[in-house]
Amino acid sequence: MFRTLRLDPVLIQAVIAGALSFAHLHDLAAAAGQDGWKAWAYPVSVDLLLVAAWRRMRKDGGNRDAWLWFAIALIASLGANVATAGLLDMNDVPDWLRILVAGWPALAFLGGTLLAHAPTPEPEPAAEPDLEPAAPDLVVEHVPDPAPELPPAEPALREPPSTPEVTPEPVTPAPAASVPPALLDHARKIANAHHAQTGAPIDAATLRARLGIPEPLADSIALQLA
């Protein structure tokens, strides 16, 4: 099968623009004293530097050197187009332009060498797909600790058996100590005086203190005076 050749308008435009730029660079180089094959080598050098810088920019858009040399080659091409548009006397080219044209081969060689040997950034390795199934999210629930078991209630203490009440035996009072009559009369006088002063009968302790007698004898006298 034969394929139909289709002309791209953009490609045609690029060929025309390249041919015109090529011719302008040739004319400028010839006017600057570069005759013969050298005049034709200048446009090739400028266009090759443009292409090399453009390719480097495509691979590494952040490369500043590629942008710099692309701008230098573009300025050289545009400068030749403008200079040959009637703004410059091609029969009397200024000296500074002759210097630029003569120095262009060295400048183009430097730019082409730097662009050709610039390190190419390595592409980042693609991340390998994770074939392992993702572990489900674990939800940790806090389970309250069980309440401690209480010991079984002890049975109520049985009431102790009632003991029969014991009736205390009447205490027989000790026999009263014998009191001499004189001492009893003297104690009665002290008791009467105490009663007259205080209005209360005398007790055994006061009586013992007044008479200076032992406690059993004082208790016996107090019983007799009561």
Side-chain angles (χ1 to χ4, degrees):
M1 298 177 62
F2 296 96
R3 295 184 178 179
T4 305
L5 181 61
R6 299 181 60 184
L7 298 179
D8 190 351
V10 178
L11 181 60
I12 296 174
Q13 180 67 25
V15 171
I16 295 174
L20 292 174
S21 178
F22 194 91
H24 292 159
L25 285 169
H26 170 271
D27 296 343
L28 182 63
Q34 307 296 328
D35 54 352
W37 66 271
K38 293 182 291 185
W40 293 104
Y42 274 89
V44 175
S45 174
V46 174
D47 291 344
L48 287 179
L49 186 59
L50 271 173
V51 173
W54 174 75
R55 292 185 61 182
R56 177 60 59 182
M57 288 165 55
R58 287 192 61 185
K59 293 182 180 180
D60 186 9
N63 193 331
R64 295 183 179 180
D65 293 340
W67 283 95
L68 174 63
W69 290 109
F70 183 83
I72 292 174
L74 185 61
I75 291 172
S77 179
L78 291 176
N81 295 334
V82 173
T84 55
L87 299 179
L88 182 67
D89 186 3
M90 301 301 291
N91 296 323
D92 186 13
V93 178
D95 294 338
W96 62 266
L97 184 57
R98 292 177 184 271
I99 295 174
L100 289 179
V101 173
W104 173 257
L107 185 63
F109 176 77
L110 176 62
T113 303
L114 293 177
L115 291 174
H117 295 283
T120 304
E122 298 180 359
E124 297 182 359
E128 298 181 359
D130 190 4
L131 301 179
E132 297 181 0
D137 296 336
L138 299 179
V139 179
V140 180
E141 296 183 357
H142 179 71
V143 180
D145 297 335
E149 297 182 359
L150 298 177
E154 297 182 359
L157 297 178
R158 297 181 180 179
E159 295 182 358
S162 58
T163 55
E165 296 182 359
V166 179
T167 304
E169 296 180 357
V171 179
T172 304
S178 58
V179 181
L183 182 58
L184 182 60
D185 292 339
H186 182 63
R188 182 173 290 108
K189 293 178 181 180
I190 294 175
N192 293 333
H194 179 78
H195 185 271
Q197 292 177 0
T198 62
I202 192 171
D203 55 338
T206 305
L207 187 61
R208 181 173 62 85
R210 293 285 186 89
L211 297 176
I213 56 178
E215 183 178 356
L217 183 58
D219 293 338
S220 178
I221 294 173
L223 290 176
Q224 295 181 26
L225 295 176

